[in-house]
Structures are given as structure tokens and as C-alpha cells.
């Protein structure tokens, strides 16, 4: 048996593929939350004003998420058909060029196109990285690997705030693109997953997304894995991104800085990622910890929206608490990678987090609709309660994956016919 001493665990976690995956997610989150931070100043600089800023921001956010949705499908399929590394190189190149282009925009139309392209490029980062990490690390420390990747991702959001504080919004986009190009150069030394290399020798379908829908058991696993992550992006995509508008509706006289809200939320999520991942290892369960953090998140949402907040300091503290309770993102992405066989793993691990991000599109649309009927605060509350109810129902049906052996393939039916017991021989 492999030695599980702290020294050997650290050695496993510091392998190049793990570090590259973690840095890739850092760049991913840098870009996604840089837009949340520079949304208002960047749109004002291209001559939008008043309600146009919020409407333009929602449109750009939705196009970015649409790019993530479409890119998630494309990169996921490519990751299972051509390999995890093909995605890691292609996605970061497209992202980097699009992000540099964002720094040159002078119109809302150009901004929209480039946000879509950047989202498409970024869509491959998290899924391919997590697939690679889950396949090269021993079962007993997969949770630690996911924690490292997710924590570095949150550090990307904090880096976005720091860069946007020190530099103008255009320069912030240039820096993001430059970081992506540096990361692409680092990936030259990354090696392919051994599980995938063995998979290529098997006569099985790889990356066939139809397999997710032609089997009830697989479809249920797929849908539940998406729904459990939806509350996280309700918090980030609505409560944090639109905190200036929500703060105004609360009656807070001092303007809320969206950048500070992001900073506090993701500082909290750093701690949440570490604690949820470690607690999962201690309890040897993904589901129990996800339930604890999801319940805590709902409590903080109720305080945020119904707690009669009147001070900016209180709102920022609640943003940190919301970020902490959203720290089950670590476990969510781990579960997505563990749920399916190696011939569908990249497809699932890439599409699921991007579909979760994509839920921001219907959530923001519903938020805008409900805002007309019951105001900003109660409109957000209705949307949030819907997200949490669906997530809790999904969690009930979610498969526990902590001890799952992921070295197998998905067959055409319920069975896994890749060899004895459906396993790929070592």
C-alpha cells in the first residue's frame, strides 16, 4: 500500500499536473470575477449610464455564461476523445487572446462578443484540470487535491480584486491574458493521465454525450450533480455581483463596492474550501458535508436579505459568511469528477460546473422578472429559495462517492463492461 504520511501526501499534491490544474483554475476565476469587479466602471467608460449599466452587465454576464455552457460541452467531449491535455492547451489559448481583446473594447457589441469567446475558452479549465487530478491522485487523497485546486481558484478571485485596485480595468484584462499565456507555456511539461492512456486501448465509446441521456441512472446522477451547485452561483451571480443594487434597495446610504463584496466573499470561500474538504476527509463523506454547508448557506442568505442590514460593514461581513458557506464548491467539483466512468469523466466534469455557472442565466432572468413584482429584496429571496429547494432535493438522490473506485468505464446500459467488474486493468 502507498505510504500515506504527510510528506508523501504533500509530494503527491505538488506534482506538476496538480499544480498546473490549480493554477489553471486560478486564471479561470480571475477572469470570471474580474468582470464582476470592473462591470460598472468598464461599462461607464464605453458611455453607458443609469439603468443601461445594469442591463448591459446582465447581458454580458449571460453571454459569458452562454460561452461557458457551449464551451463546456465542446471541451468536455474533446477531453474524453482526444485527451485531457488537448483541452488544457486549447482552452487557455482562446481565453488568453479573448481576455487581451477585452482590454481594447470601445463598444458594448465588441465587449459582448469577447466575453462570450472568453467564457468559451475558460469552459475547459476546471473540468479538464479536475479530471486529470482525480485520475492521477490515489483515492484516499482525491479530496485534498480538489481542495488545493478549488482554493487556488478562489485565490484567483482575490487576485482579480488586487489587480483591479492597482490597475485600470483595461490593464486588468491585459494582465489576465498574460497570465494565461504564461500558464500555457508551463503546461508543456504536463503528462497525460495514465487512466486515459489505458482507456484509449479499449474498444469503448468516449465522450459520447448521448450516453448521459439514454440511461435513467446516469441522467439522474448528471442532473443531481448540477442542481447541488446551483445555490453557490445564486450567491455569487446575484447576491454578490449585484450587491450595489441590493444594498441600495436595503436602504444603505453609502454605495456598496462590488469589488469589496467579491473580496470578502472569496476570502470567506478560501476558508470554506479548506474546511469543507478537510471535514469530508475526516467524515469520509461528500454528502454530509455538502448538506452542512448548504444549510449554513441558506441561513446566511436569509440574514442577508431579511436581516434589516443598514451598514456597509455588516453587508461585507455577510458577504464573507456567504462565501464561507459556499465553500462546498470543492466537494461539488470532486463529486462531478467521481460520479462517472473514465470514458465520460471529462465530459461530465467539464459540463457540470459550467452548466452550474450557466444557471445564472435563468436565475438572473427570474430575478429581473420577480424584481418587477415584489422588489429587489423579495425578488432575490424567491429566486434563492427555489435554488435551495431544488438543490436539497437533488442532494437526497446524490450518490456518495468518497470511497468510489473511479478506474472504470460506462457501458451502453446499466453494466460496466470494460473488463472484469467493469474495471480497466492496472
Amino acid at each position: 500500500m502507498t505510504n500515506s504520511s504527510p510528506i508523501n501526501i504533500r509530494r503527491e499534491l505538488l506534482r506538476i499536473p496538480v499544480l498546473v490544474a490549480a493554477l489553471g483554475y486560478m486564471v479561470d476565476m480571475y477572469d470570471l470575477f474580474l468582470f464582476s469587479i470592473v462591470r460598472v466602471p468598464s461599462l461607464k467608460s464605453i458611455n453607458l449610464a443609469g439603468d443601461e449599466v445594469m442591463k448591459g452587465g446582465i447581458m454580458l454576464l449571460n453571454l459569458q455564461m452562454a460561452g461557458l455552457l457551449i464551451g463546456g460541452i465542446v471541451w468536455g467531449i474533446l477531453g474524453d476523445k482526444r485527451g485531457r491535455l488537448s483541452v488544457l492547451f486549447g482552452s487557455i489559448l482562446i481565453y488568453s487572446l479573448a481576455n487581451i481583446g477585452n482590454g481594447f473594447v470601445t463598444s458594448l457589441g465588441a465587449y459582448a462578443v469577447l466575453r462570450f469567446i472568453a467564457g468559451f475558452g475558460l469552459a475547459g479549465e476546471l473540468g479538464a484540470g479536475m479530471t486529470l487530478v482525480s485520475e492521477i491522485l490515489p483515492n484516499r487523497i482525491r479530496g485534498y487535491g480538489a481542495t488545493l485546486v478549488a482554493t487556488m481558484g478562489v485565490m484567483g478571485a482575490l487576485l482579480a480584486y488586487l489587480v483591479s485596485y492597482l490597475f485600470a480595468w483595461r490593464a486588468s484584462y491585459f494582465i489576465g491574458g498574460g497570465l494565461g499565456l504564461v500558464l500555457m507555456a508551463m503546461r508543456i511539461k504536463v503528462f497525460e493521465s495514465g487512466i486515459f492512456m489505458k482507456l484509449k486501448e479499449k474498444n469503448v465509446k468516449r465522450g459520447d454525450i448521448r450516453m448521459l441521456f439514454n440511461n435513467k441512472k446516469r441522467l439522474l446522477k448528471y442532473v443531481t450533480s448540477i442542481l447541488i451547485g446551483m445555490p453557490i452561483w445564486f450567491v455569487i451571480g446575484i447576491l454578490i455581483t449585484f450587491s450595489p443594487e441590493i444594498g441600495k434597495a436595503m436602504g444603505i446610504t453609502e454605495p456598496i463596492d462590488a469589488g469589496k463584496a467579491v473580496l470578502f466573499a472569496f476570502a470567506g470561500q478560501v476558508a470554506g474550501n479548506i474546511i469543507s474538504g478537510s471535514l469530508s476527509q475526516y467524515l469520509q463523506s461528500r454528502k454530509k458535508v455538502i448538506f452542512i454547508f448548504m444549510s449554513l448557506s441558506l441561513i446566511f442568505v436569509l440574514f442577508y436579505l431579511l436581516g434589516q442590514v443598514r451598514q456597509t460593514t455588516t453587508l461585507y461581513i455577510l458577504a464573507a459568511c456567504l462565501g464561507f458557506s459556499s465553500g462546498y464548491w470543492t466537494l461539488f467539483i470532486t463529486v462531478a469528477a467521481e460520479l462517472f466512468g473514465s470514458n465520460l469523466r471529462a465530459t461530465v466534469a467539464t459540463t457540470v460546473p459550467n452548466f452550474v455557472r450557466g444557471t445564472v442565466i435563468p436565475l438572473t432572468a427570474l430575478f429581473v422578472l420577480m424584481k418587477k413584482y415584489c422588489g429587489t429584496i423579495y425578488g432575490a429571496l424567491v429566486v434563492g429559495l427555489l435554488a435551495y429547494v431544488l438543490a436539497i432535493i437533488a442532494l437526497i438522490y446524490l450518490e456518495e462517492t468518497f470511497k468510489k473506485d473511479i478506474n472504470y468505464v460506462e457501458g451502453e446500459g446499466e453494466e460496466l463492461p470494460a473488463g472484469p467488474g467493469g474495471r480497466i486493468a492496472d
Side-chain angles (χ1 to χ4, degrees):
M1 176 178 283
T2 305
N3 194 318
S4 57
S5 69
I7 293 176
N8 283 306
I9 290 175
R10 284 197 297 270
R11 185 180 298 123
E12 291 282 356
L13 293 178
L14 293 178
R15 294 168 69 181
I16 290 177
V18 178
L19 294 177
V20 166
L23 291 172
Y25 190 39
M26 184 183 76
V27 172
D28 175 312
M29 295 291 277
Y30 173 95
D31 177 76
L32 289 177
F33 291 96
L34 178 64
F35 174 69
S36 293
I37 295 169
V38 304
R39 172 177 62 95
V40 174
S42 64
L43 290 173
K44 285 183 176 179
S45 74
I46 57 175
N47 302 319
L48 271 68
D51 289 342
E52 291 180 337
V53 173
M54 184 173 184
K55 291 178 180 178
I58 290 175
M59 182 193 75
L60 292 177
L61 179 63
N62 286 345
L63 282 171
Q64 174 179 282
M65 295 305 169
L68 286 164
L69 282 172
I70 296 171
I73 296 171
V74 173
W75 294 119
I77 294 173
L78 186 63
D80 278 325
K81 289 185 177 294
R82 299 292 300 274
R84 299 18 172 162
L85 290 185
S86 63
V87 174
L88 290 178
F89 278 100
S91 64
I92 200 67
L93 176 61
I94 292 174
Y95 152 76
S96 299
L97 296 179
N99 223 31
I100 291 170
N102 271 280
F104 290 106
V105 298
T106 56
S107 69
L108 184 60
Y111 208 169
V113 170
L114 287 166
R115 290 318 299 157
F116 175 84
I117 296 173
F120 180 89
L122 281 179
E125 282 298 306
L126 178 57
M130 280 306 304
T131 301
L132 193 61
V133 168
S134 68
E135 290 181 342
I136 67 171
L137 289 180
N139 292 357
R140 72 189 187 283
I141 63 170
R142 287 200 305 253
Y144 291 129
T147 299
L148 174 62
V149 173
T151 301
M152 286 299 293
V154 174
M155 295 302 293
L158 301 180
L159 179 63
Y161 176 80
L162 177 62
V163 170
S164 68
Y165 179 79
L166 296 175
F167 300 93
W169 69 270
R170 294 185 186 276
S172 299
Y173 277 126
F174 294 148
I175 290 170
L179 288 172
L181 293 175
V182 170
L183 181 59
M184 186 175 69
M186 291 176 60
R187 288 179 172 172
I188 294 173
K189 294 184 178 181
V190 177
F191 53 85
E192 185 59 88
S193 156
I195 288 180
F196 178 78
M197 296 304 291
K198 293 176 182 177
L199 176 65
K200 288 175 65 176
E201 302 172 2
K202 302 292 180 179
N203 184 25
V204 294
K205 288 185 177 181
R206 304 198 309 269
D208 188 346
I209 199 168
R210 294 173 298 179
M211 293 178 68
L212 295 173
F213 302 98
N214 63 11
N215 179 282
K216 290 182 180 180
K217 184 178 178 181
R218 281 197 290 264
L219 179 59
L220 180 62
K221 289 196 298 183
Y222 190 61
V223 172
T224 55
S225 64
I226 292 171
L227 291 178
I228 62 169
M230 191 161 60
I232 298 174
W233 275 81
F234 162 73
V235 169
I236 301 303
I238 293 180
L239 297 187
I240 302 301
T241 297
F242 296 105
S243 56
E245 291 84 355
I246 293 174
K248 185 177 180 181
M250 290 175 176
I252 299 176
T253 54
E254 185 179 348
I256 299 298
D257 185 334
K260 286 185 179 179
V262 169
L263 174 67
F264 280 98
F266 282 92
Q269 199 176 87
V270 169
N273 280 327
I274 294 171
I275 292 175
S276 67
S278 300
L279 187 59
S280 175
Q281 292 295 125
Y282 177 76
L283 297 178
Q284 297 191 23
S285 172
R286 311 288 189 220
K287 288 184 65 172
K288 290 178 182 178
V289 180
I290 289 174
F291 177 75
I292 292 170
F293 274 72
M294 193 183 293
S295 301
L296 190 61
S297 178
L298 177 57
I299 292 171
F300 285 130
V301 167
L302 295 176
F303 272 116
Y304 184 89
L305 294 174
L306 302 177
Q308 302 295 314
V309 177
R310 293 291 182 267
Q311 302 293 326
T312 56
T313 301
T314 305
L315 188 142
Y316 292 140
I317 291 172
L318 282 172
C321 293
L322 286 167
F324 174 83
S325 57
S326 295
Y328 75 88
W329 179 256
T330 294
L331 303 183
F332 157 73
I333 58 178
T334 306
V335 169
E338 292 173 339
L339 273 173
F340 291 83
S342 54
N343 56 326
L344 283 178
R345 185 166 299 125
T347 300
V348 171
T350 306
T351 56
V352 163
N354 288 310
F355 279 7
V356 170
R357 289 165 169 171
T359 60
V360 170
I361 298 174
L363 289 176
T364 53
L366 183 59
F367 172 54
V368 171
L369 177 64
M370 297 308 299
K371 182 172 174 286
K372 294 179 181 178
Y373 293 100
C374 48
T376 301
I377 302 298
Y378 287 101
L381 181 62
V382 170
V383 176
L385 289 176
L386 176 63
Y388 282 92
V389 167
L390 291 174
I392 291 170
I393 293 172
L395 185 61
I396 293 171
Y397 291 97
L398 184 72
E399 175 186 348
E400 177 60 70
T401 61
F402 183 85
K403 296 181 179 179
K404 186 173 182 178
D405 180 1
I406 64 171
N407 193 13
Y408 70 96
V409 298
E410 300 283 347
E412 291 291 340
E414 295 287 346
E415 301 300 322
L416 306 173
R423 298 296 186 262
I424 301 174
D426 293 329

